[in-house]
Amino acid sequence: MVPSLFIAHGAPLLAIEDNDYTQFLTQLGKQLPRPKAVVLFSAHWESDVQKVGNVNEYETIHDFGGFPKELYDIRYPAKGHAEIAGEVKALLSENGINAEFDSRRGLDHGAWVVLRMLFPDANVPVVSMSVNPNLTPVEQERIGRALSPLREKDVLIIGSGGTVHNLRAVNMRKDDQTVDAWAKAFDDWLSECLVTGDVDALFNYEKAAPYAEQAVPPYGKEHFVPLFYAIGASHTDRKAQLLHRSYRYGNLSQSVWQFGHGENKHSTLR
């Protein structure tokens, strides 16, 4: 059975950088069991009704501005998977969750930046998924849990976002891998909950976690909630393993969490 993952997709520039984090993601893709398909929840696709991507081949969406031309030249022509998309929608329906197919939307950078590092040849089919930051963490976890049977069919479920993602607080001139104390305090609290499987505390993070409003501001909540979809996909195996954590620009967290698949001997924790 393949694990479920939460992966921080960082800033768009990550797609053309060579650093410890990009090297880690590239190596992770080589070490993971080859999945039949990837079901990916992206922070950059928000909708009130759960959307399920059902396309033949995804266009590459460059949903950002002011970056080098090299970034806009990137194409990631991932194929869809109609059968898995149908299973996703059916599982959601069986669990009382309303969902709709989307046959037009391409992959935003929350999806293709991560997928391109894990599977650079775009040879693993993808089912893209929206997120709804207006749901409660319990409701978001329930959506992920509904899809957990797919892992038994070698489908990799990924939540792509960021545990600390406050663009009003980042300092683009500060790129020395040091981290602001408030961001580390929040991530340390989060780590304790994830490693011990304390999901109830996580559901109450807004009140329980230190500096929660700075780390997960109301205008950036969509980047945090993919974590709950990934937790849900782990089903009953709630204890997580931190594979990597580093920081950019003072507080932008780059973390990878693995759920539901025991120890990863090849993890690189920073």
Side-chain angles (χ1 to χ4, degrees):
M1 181 186 295
V2 297
S4 61
L5 298 170
F6 173 83
I7 301 178
H9 58 251
L13 282 171
L14 202 67
I16 56 174
E17 292 176 327
D18 181 11
N19 54 41
D20 287 350
Y21 189 43
T22 62
Q23 291 169 19
F24 169 80
L25 290 176
T26 299
Q27 190 62 29
L28 178 63
K30 296 175 181 178
Q31 294 168 349
L32 285 169
R34 174 68 177 268
K36 178 180 180 180
V38 175
V39 172
L40 188 145
F41 292 89
S42 173
H44 289 273
W45 187 10
E46 297 179 55
S47 66
D48 291 331
V49 175
Q50 180 63 57
K51 299 290 187 179
V52 180
N54 187 20
V55 302
N56 292 323
E57 181 176 315
Y58 290 95
E59 293 184 1
T60 305
I61 303 174
H62 300 88
D63 51 334
F64 42 76
F67 290 95
K69 181 179 181 297
E70 180 183 359
L71 203 53
Y72 300 94
D73 289 339
I74 292 175
R75 297 292 181 272
Y76 188 78
K79 304 291 186 183
H81 198 303
E83 179 186 346
I84 298 299
E87 290 189 45
V88 166
K89 192 169 183 294
L91 285 168
L92 293 172
S93 179
E94 289 170 13
N95 285 273
I97 299 164
N98 186 29
E100 299 174 351
F101 283 135
D102 186 300
S103 59
R104 301 180 63 182
R105 193 177 191 278
L107 294 178
D108 56 66
H109 82 273
W112 64 259
V113 167
V114 168
L115 291 169
R116 185 167 171 265
M117 289 186 219
L118 296 178
F119 311 111
D121 296 328
N123 56 0
V124 176
V126 177
V127 176
S128 59
M129 304 287 288
S130 65
V131 300
N132 184 352
N134 298 317
L135 296 178
T136 66
V138 172
E139 292 170 321
Q140 291 152 354
E141 186 272 348
R142 179 170 167 250
I143 291 172
R145 183 158 29 100
L147 304 184
S148 61
L150 292 173
R151 293 176 47 231
E152 298 179 2
K153 299 182 177 183
D154 296 326
V155 175
L156 176 63
I157 300 174
I158 297 176
S160 173
T163 58
V164 179
H165 189 93
N166 186 339
L167 294 184
R168 297 180 187 176
V170 299
N171 182 353
M172 297 298 288
R173 298 180 181 180
K174 184 179 180 182
D175 198 14
D176 56 3
Q177 298 190 24
T178 58
V179 55
D180 296 337
W182 61 267
K184 186 175 185 302
F186 177 84
D187 256 353
D188 285 348
W189 177 89
L190 184 67
S191 295
E192 177 66 21
C193 294
L194 288 168
V195 168
T196 60
D198 191 350
V199 178
D200 289 337
L202 290 169
F203 287 161
N204 194 40
Y205 79 92
E206 290 180 290
K207 294 181 179 178
Y211 305 103
E213 191 165 356
Q214 283 177 269
V216 189
Y219 51 83
K221 188 178 291 187
E222 74 286 341
H223 275 75
F224 187 67
V225 300
L227 180 66
F228 292 116
Y229 296 92
I231 291 172
S234 71
H235 193 38
T236 57
D237 190 356
R238 299 312 187 101
K239 293 182 179 180
Q241 183 186 5
L242 180 57
L243 303 185
H244 178 100
R245 186 171 74 184
S246 57
Y247 296 89
R248 303 286 297 276
Y249 317 126
N251 50 64
L252 185 65
S253 178
Q254 297 177 154
S255 56
V256 178
W257 285 95
Q258 176 175 290
F259 301 89
H261 194 54
E263 293 295 315
N264 184 331
K265 295 183 295 182
H266 307 289
S267 65
T268 303
L269 173 58
R270 289 179 48 85

